[in-house]
Amino acid sequence: MWGREPMLQKCRPIHVSGARTGTVNGGEKEGAQKCNSLRFGPFFVMDLDTQGTTSLTWQYTTDSILKYDVRFLSVCGLWPLQGSRLFRIFTVTIITLCLGHIAEAGINLCTLRGELEDYTLALSNVSVIIVGVLKVAIFLRDEGSLCQLVRWLDALVKRQTEYVRGQPCREAIFREARQRASRISKGLDAYNVSLLFVWILAPLVASPGDKRLPLQQLPMANTTAFPLYELSYALQAISLTFIALINVHMDCFFTVVMIHIAAQLKIMASRIADLHLTRNDGGNSSESKLGNNSLVMEDLYKQLCLCIHTHQDITRFIVHLEKVMNPIAMMQLALGVFNGCMLIFPAAYSAESGSLLKILVSAPAVSTQLLLYCLGAHSVRQQGELVSLAAYSCGWPDADARFRKASLLIMARAQRALRLTAGGIYPIQRATFLSVSLVSDQNQLQARMNLLRFMTQQHSWVKLLRPNILPRIKS
């Protein structure tokens, strides 16, 4: 942990948010007094130490930076904000319906006598349900850690709010992050709701007398007098609606967290870059009247220490985020690769417009969730690397040795990449999405080549030619 660097032993806070409490080494009473005078924000240390893992409430989310995302997951039956037993019963009911959906999918796969397209679509659909149930299980296991994640992020944002006010550049960074997070969450939710509407109502519109189910088909649904068709239709529609919304918005939740933490890194880098002993007025660089004053130098050093401790807190937060997020990100990565492969076969072999339409509509949802993780993690890593450049751009050449040593410390530490991984083994970044997309494209090309080879073996080359060319050949 880089918070133990010896260069800052004389200016170490007694409390560090979201991590172990610090101590003043060697009985340096003077250093402790200086650190206490800096007021490093023990108010949010209390929140993380005593209330960090407690459940959130609806009232708490009123002022939270993650208000929309937490409340949306609560409405979907995942995040308990009311603290009532009925909400837990509601969550268990959703899981039970999903397990029933998975059982019907097993019956469908065992009794299916269709083409390869039917198998791949059935597997693709049930995989979304299975991954959604696993995400709910992981949330219930790590609910305390996720509540701590929300409180921690709110504390970090609150801590830097005083440095944002009155600074147009930093206000623009903060405003852009909130707008971008809102657009991603609400836009993907709107797309997901419209997609669910199409999938659930398509069987009723396409074949009103055929009694087809939305996803998994049961052969006995049309042969029994028991209202099995109606019950199965309701089961699949309700379970699909709730678990799909939870599945997608959990990815949106982590993406929004990464967007905000990247913005906090950018704001902190702006604070470091603005630490100068000189200022420019009208393009003429003039020495500050208090430039040689020790009080000004002391104030700059304190500001740098505040930035360093903010960077420490953000680094610890990213470690906690990676620990909570990596199993869910790993499942989403596996689901994206699996569904990408499953959707390739119907696209290559099917000639029906209805099947191809379903594939074209659902394919963006599969790739978008993986893209959100990759772009969010890449943004965090990129902004973390820019902190070193900001430290190099500050006024360290005109400062004293103590300020230069502290600047060197943050330059060296910021060069270590802030990596987020899937399952703790696979780094999440923009190149990850590109590599997965390349594999999918290669598999799709191979599938089309196999299809062309199969058609060539089964038919003569004359039958593959266009009808308007045949008269020329006969003549």
Side-chain angles (χ1 to χ4, degrees), residues 272-457:
I272 297 175
D274 290 342
L275 297 177
H276 289 278
L277 281 174
T278 59
R279 57 172 179 257
N280 296 330
D281 297 326
N284 297 323
S285 177
S286 60
E287 187 75 17
S288 176
K289 294 180 179 179
L290 299 178
N292 296 324
N293 195 319
S294 60
L295 295 178
V296 175
M297 192 66 251
E298 183 69 19
D299 181 67
L300 284 178
Y301 179 69
K302 290 179 180 180
Q303 294 297 325
L304 181 60
C305 287
L306 286 171
C307 293
I308 290 175
H309 289 301
T310 300
H311 189 254
Q312 290 174 338
D313 293 335
I314 292 177
T315 303
R316 295 187 186 101
F317 175 85
I318 293 175
V319 172
H320 180 71
L321 172 63
E322 198 269 343
K323 180 181 178 181
V324 175
M325 186 184 73
N326 71 62
I328 296 178
M330 185 65 188
M331 285 192 299
Q332 189 58 47
L333 177 64
L335 177 64
V337 175
F338 178 79
N339 278 348
C341 295
M342 289 298 101
L343 291 176
I344 285 171
F345 292 102
Y349 287 94
S350 178
E352 297 181 2
S353 59
S355 300
L356 294 177
L357 179 61
K358 288 184 178 180
I359 294 167
L360 293 176
V361 171
S362 59
V366 175
S367 59
T368 300
Q369 291 174 257
L370 181 59
L371 178 63
L372 290 178
Y373 279 107
C374 295
L375 292 182
H378 184 83
S379 178
V380 171
R381 180 172 181 172
Q382 185 180 38
Q383 294 302 325
E385 294 173 350
L386 292 178
V387 172
S388 179
L389 179 61
Y392 185 78
S393 303
C394 72
W396 62 269
D398 301 326
D400 56 10
R402 183 179 58 171
F403 187 93
R404 290 197 294 268
K405 288 181 180 179
S407 301
L408 180 62
L409 173 65
I410 194 171
M411 288 180 198
R413 176 60 185 88
Q415 289 178 357
R416 294 171 54 185
L418 301 174
R419 295 176 54 184
L420 294 168
T421 63
I425 54 176
Y426 202 81
I428 307 174
Q429 51 191 356
R430 188 166 54 189
T432 304
F433 180 78
L434 297 177
S435 62
V436 172
S437 300
L438 180 61
V439 172
S440 299
D441 292 340
Q442 291 177 348
N443 290 337
Q444 183 174 1
L445 179 60
Q446 184 64 33
R448 293 184 180 277
M449 292 298 296
N450 293 337
L451 175 62
L452 180 60
R453 189 179 298 112
F454 174 78
M455 293 177 63
T456 305
Q457 293 174 355

Side-chain angles (χ1 to χ4, degrees), residues 117-135:
E117 170 198 350
D118 299 327
Y119 286 99
T120 56
L121 286 178
L123 287 173
S124 178
N125 293 329
V126 73
S127 65
V128 175
I129 306 297
I130 294 174
V131 170
V133 173
L134 291 177
K135 286 184 179 182

Side-chain angles (χ1 to χ4, degrees), residues 207-262:
S207 54
D210 197 15
K211 288 189 176 182
R212 291 187 60 85
L213 295 171
L215 297 177
Q216 310 298 335
Q217 308 302 323
L218 299 179
M220 68 286 294
N222 298 328
T223 59
T224 178
F226 187 76
L228 180 62
Y229 172 75
E230 290 77 8
L231 292 177
S232 296
Y233 205 108
L235 172 68
Q236 294 186 21
I238 296 174
S239 60
L240 176 64
T241 300
F242 281 100
I243 205 64
L245 292 176
I246 291 174
N247 188 357
V248 173
H249 204 83
M250 282 198 70
D251 301 331
C252 292
F253 170 80
F254 286 114
T255 303
V256 169
V257 171
M258 289 186 285
I259 290 174
H260 284 297
I261 202 62

Side-chain angles (χ1 to χ4, degrees), residues 17-281:
S17 70
R20 298 181 296 272
T21 56
T23 58
V24 181
N25 298 330
E28 296 178 351
K29 183 176 181 180
E30 181 182 358
Q33 292 176 351
K34 288 182 178 179
C35 292
N36 288 334
S37 65
L38 293 181
R39 304 174 69 179
F40 283 109
F43 62 91
F44 61 83
V45 177
M46 178 189 66
D47 288 342
L48 293 175
D49 291 341
T50 63
Q51 303 177 9
T53 58
T54 58
S55 299
L56 302 179
T57 61
W58 192 274
Q59 183 180 2
Y60 173 84
T61 58
T62 302
D63 300 324
S64 176
I65 196 71
L66 301 172
K67 172 183 175 180
Y68 173 80
D69 302 279
V70 175
R71 288 188 174 183
F72 187 91
L73 290 174
S74 178
V75 172
C76 293
L78 180 63
W79 205 309
L81 297 180
Q82 291 78 14
S84 62
R85 186 173 298 179
L86 291 176
F87 190 89
R88 296 295 186 182
I89 296 175
F90 179 44
T91 305
V92 173
T93 303
I94 294 174
I95 297 176
T96 304
L97 291 176
C98 292
L99 294 178
H101 191 141
I102 295 172
E104 289 193 351
I107 297 174
N108 180 32
L109 291 172
C110 293
T111 59
L112 197 59
R113 295 295 182 268
E115 301 293 336
L116 179 62
E117 170 198 350
D118 299 327
Y119 286 99
T120 56
L121 286 178
L123 287 173
S124 178
N125 293 329
V126 73
S127 65
V128 175
I129 306 297
I130 294 174
V131 170
V133 173
L134 291 177
K135 286 184 179 182
V136 173
I138 292 175
F139 176 89
L140 296 177
R141 185 195 67 181
D142 300 334
E143 182 180 341
S145 298
L146 288 165
C147 292
Q148 182 181 3
L149 185 77
V150 175
R151 295 182 185 273
W152 199 341
L153 180 60
D154 290 336
L156 288 172
V157 173
K158 184 177 180 181
R159 184 179 184 181
Q160 291 207 102
T161 301
E162 58 180 305
Y163 304 103
V164 174
R165 296 193 186 100
Q167 300 289 334
C169 181
R170 298 173 193 172
E171 288 178 350
I173 295 172
F174 185 70
R175 183 172 58 254
E176 180 183 358
R178 298 199 67 165
Q179 292 176 352
R180 183 183 177 191
S182 178
R183 286 195 300 266
I184 289 177
S185 296
K186 296 179 180 179
L188 198 56
D189 286 337
Y191 171 75
N192 197 26
V193 169
S194 62
L195 185 63
L196 289 171
F197 184 80
V198 172
W199 272 95
I200 293 174
L201 297 183
L204 298 178
V205 178
S207 54
D210 197 15
K211 288 189 176 182
R212 291 187 60 85
L213 295 171
L215 297 177
Q216 310 298 335
Q217 308 302 323
L218 299 179
M220 68 286 294
N222 298 328
T223 59
T224 178
F226 187 76
L228 180 62
Y229 172 75
E230 290 77 8
L231 292 177
S232 296
Y233 205 108
L235 172 68
Q236 294 186 21
I238 296 174
S239 60
L240 176 64
T241 300
F242 281 100
I243 205 64
L245 292 176
I246 291 174
N247 188 357
V248 173
H249 204 83
M250 282 198 70
D251 301 331
C252 292
F253 170 80
F254 286 114
T255 303
V256 169
V257 171
M258 289 186 285
I259 290 174
H260 284 297
I261 202 62
Q264 295 304 307
L265 283 168
K266 194 172 183 179
I267 292 173
M268 187 203 62
S270 175
R271 290 169 54 193
I272 297 175
D274 290 342
L275 297 177
H276 289 278
L277 281 174
T278 59
R279 57 172 179 257
N280 296 330
D281 297 326

